[in-house]
Amino acid sequence: MTDGGPAASVTLADVRDAARLLDGVATVTLVQSSRAISEAAGVEVLLKCENLQRAGSFKVRGAYVRMARLSAEERARGVVAASAGNHAQGVALAAGLLGIRAVVYMPVDAALPKVAATRQYGAEVRLVGEDVDETLAAARAEAARTGAVGVHPFDHPDVVAGQGTLALEILEQVPQVRTVVAPLGGGGLVAGLAATFAEAAPHVRVVGVQAERAAAYPASLAAGEPTTSRAAATMADGIAVGTPGVVPFEILRRHGVEVRTVSEDDISRSLLMVAERAKLLVEPAGAAGVAALLATSRALDTAATAPPSGAPRPLEGPVVVVLSGGNVDPLVLLRVVRHGLAAAGRYIQLQVLLDDRPGALAGLLDVISTLRGNVMHIHHDRTDVGLGIGEAWVRMQVETKGQEHCEELLARLRADGYRVERSGRAPGS
């Protein structure tokens, strides 16, 4: 097997060899059905729960296969890797199982639980760089300086073959599968799926999903080669990669894999739905596949009859969505859940103009209470330069039961004569 380059390929035989190496190492994770997500997506959906994999993500598959195939001399030199967190933990776990010294570079703002877990698995962690691309550069420099073997998170045939073992499991667990949707960062996972299905089940369609704030693949596929795109801040840090890998890019290009993008609202809403309805904890990147399904369903509903030109095509079911990881910082989870609640219309930000007189605020709150709105935060402003004498702005965050409840609340306040505006980002926008 060649190391990188456009000529590198991954075959079904490679993936089956990888599966034998992983026997007893990687967990055969469960596939869980979800009626709620299926109804929302308009197609039968099953969830492949790699969030329950050892080390919390699919990454241990590729990392272990890559390292298990090292020679004795290479193992003695140790390994070096770079990752925002999941590959780091996969490398650290694999190194411990194989008795190899591991140095792992992680971005300076990597989630603390991921950093702690990587160290607990026995790797030396070094925090360098603002993003994965800078961290990868530091790891490459370390490998060149010390002779340690670089274990790339996605750009190596052995890593791709390891991730491809997921496809073998899906075919055993859901033999009737027609579509597989998976998060897409550098491309190792989606490439492994595409290469495996191309030989084992060519009727299965593979769709990769990127956060629209960090989507390097659409431009790269259009250009016909990997191109660099500066990734903006996204809650889906696990797939925020600025440059596709050469090996996975060639596989995606060769097999015509479709790539879709999802917004931050799409991701947060989906993470919330997976937690509430499927009872599963996933990180934002891990929810990207569900986000794409729900975004497609909303787009088709909005189109009324036929989808407009350029709209995503509906996906043929059964659809298996890979929940790629569950390693989420509790503080990040708190922010994402709040974001998801707002995006789903479960919170509404209101700005109401009141006469600044005794009882006016109480009257407003009485209307909200009658409609079963729950005021979470409130701010009374008498000094805004746009206010007239004897006027005040009341800005509040109200917990609601959903989008319809928000509209009912707004309509009632306006009907009662209040000048009311939605402030901030409108839920669902």
Side-chain angles (χ1 to χ4, degrees):
M1 219 181 245
T2 57
D3 186 356
S9 64
V10 174
T11 67
L12 180 58
D14 296 328
V15 177
R16 286 177 172 157
D17 286 343
R20 284 188 281 272
L21 281 174
L22 288 170
D23 186 25
V25 175
T27 300
V28 178
T29 52
L30 63 86
V31 169
Q32 178 172 312
S33 62
S34 173
R35 185 176 67 179
I37 294 175
S38 296
E39 289 177 351
V43 65
E44 181 184 359
V45 177
L46 299 107
L47 307 173
K48 177 61 170 169
C49 300
E50 283 294 286
N51 57 310
L52 304 179
Q53 183 57 259
R54 292 184 71 177
S57 86
F58 72 95
K59 288 287 192 176
V60 69
R61 296 173 183 265
Y64 186 89
V65 171
R66 169 79 171 102
M67 294 162 65
R69 288 176 171 166
L70 295 178
S71 67
E73 186 272 334
E74 287 173 322
R75 293 188 187 195
R77 282 153 44 195
V79 299
V80 61
S83 168
N86 287 341
H87 179 63
Q89 291 175 73
V91 167
L93 173 59
L97 294 173
L98 294 166
I100 301 172
R101 177 179 178 270
V103 175
V104 178
Y105 284 80
M106 302 178 73
V108 293
D109 61 350
L112 294 180
K114 293 183 179 182
V115 173
T118 303
R119 286 178 171 147
Q120 287 167 3
Y121 284 126
E124 178 186 345
V125 175
R126 298 176 185 174
L127 302 179
V128 177
E130 297 297 325
D131 54 31
V132 173
D133 291 312
E134 291 183 9
T135 303
L136 279 167
R140 282 193 292 267
E142 172 74 6
R145 184 180 66 82
T146 65
V149 178
V151 180
H152 199 283
F154 47 82
D155 202 10
H156 192 281
D158 288 346
V159 173
V160 172
Q163 320 306 27
T165 60
L166 258 168
L168 299 179
E169 291 181 16
I170 290 171
L171 285 173
E172 287 187 5
Q173 294 169 309
V174 192
Q176 72 278 23
V177 62
R178 302 297 297 185
T179 307
V180 175
V181 182
L184 173 60
L189 172 59
V190 174
L193 293 169
T196 307
F197 285 123
E199 289 191 66
H203 62 279
V204 176
R205 177 183 173 194
V206 177
V207 177
V209 183
Q210 295 205 286
E212 64 182 23
R213 290 187 176 181
Y217 262 93
S220 296
L221 290 169
E225 62 182 1
T227 60
T228 298
S229 173
R230 185 67 180 178
T234 172
M235 65 180 72
D237 64 318
I239 52 174
V241 177
T243 308
V246 173
V247 173
F249 174 84
E250 178 60 21
I251 293 172
L252 266 69
R253 186 201 61 76
R254 184 187 314 138
H255 296 298
V257 173
E258 180 185 357
V259 176
R260 299 187 178 187
T261 61
V262 289
S263 70
E264 299 297 288
D265 279 1
D266 293 332
I267 295 168
S268 61
R269 273 193 295 250
S270 299
L271 184 147
L272 186 63
M273 173 169 271
V274 170
E276 282 192 323
R277 306 308 299 272
K279 316 304 179 189
L280 292 167
L281 179 64
V282 298
E283 58 193 272
V290 175
L293 281 178
L294 300 184
T296 298
S297 178
R298 285 193 298 273
L300 293 176
D301 287 344
T302 301
T305 52
S309 175
R313 293 178 292 155
L315 299 178
E316 183 181 358
V319 178
V320 174
V321 179
V322 179
L323 303 180
S324 57
N327 295 315
V328 58
D329 184 335
L331 293 176
V332 172
L333 179 62
L334 180 61
R335 292 196 295 270
V336 172
V337 168
R338 285 175 174 168
H339 189 282
L341 288 169
R346 302 271 287 277
Y347 287 117
I348 185 171
Q349 308 280 349
L350 297 178
Q351 178 171 276
V352 184
L353 184 66
L354 289 182
D355 291 330
D356 191 13
R357 57 177 176 77
L361 179 58
L364 170 63
L365 296 178
D366 184 62
V367 174
I368 294 172
S369 175
T370 300
L371 290 179
R372 311 303 295 174
N374 184 30
V375 177
M376 305 296 291
H377 300 285
I378 191 165
H379 175 69
H380 207 175
D381 184 0
R382 297 179 175 88
T383 61
D384 189 292
V385 294
L387 290 171
I389 296 174
E391 292 180 331
W393 283 116
V394 172
R395 300 181 178 92
M396 61 179 69
Q397 183 184 73
V398 181
E399 181 183 11
T400 72
K401 298 175 183 178
Q403 192 62 45
E404 290 184 5
H405 192 196
C406 289
E407 298 303 329
E408 179 187 4
L409 185 59
L410 282 168
R412 172 62 182 275
L413 289 171
R414 287 166 179 158
D416 285 359
Y418 288 100
R419 177 182 162 187
V420 56
E421 302 170 359
R422 249 183 178 161
S423 60
R425 176 181 49 79
S429 63

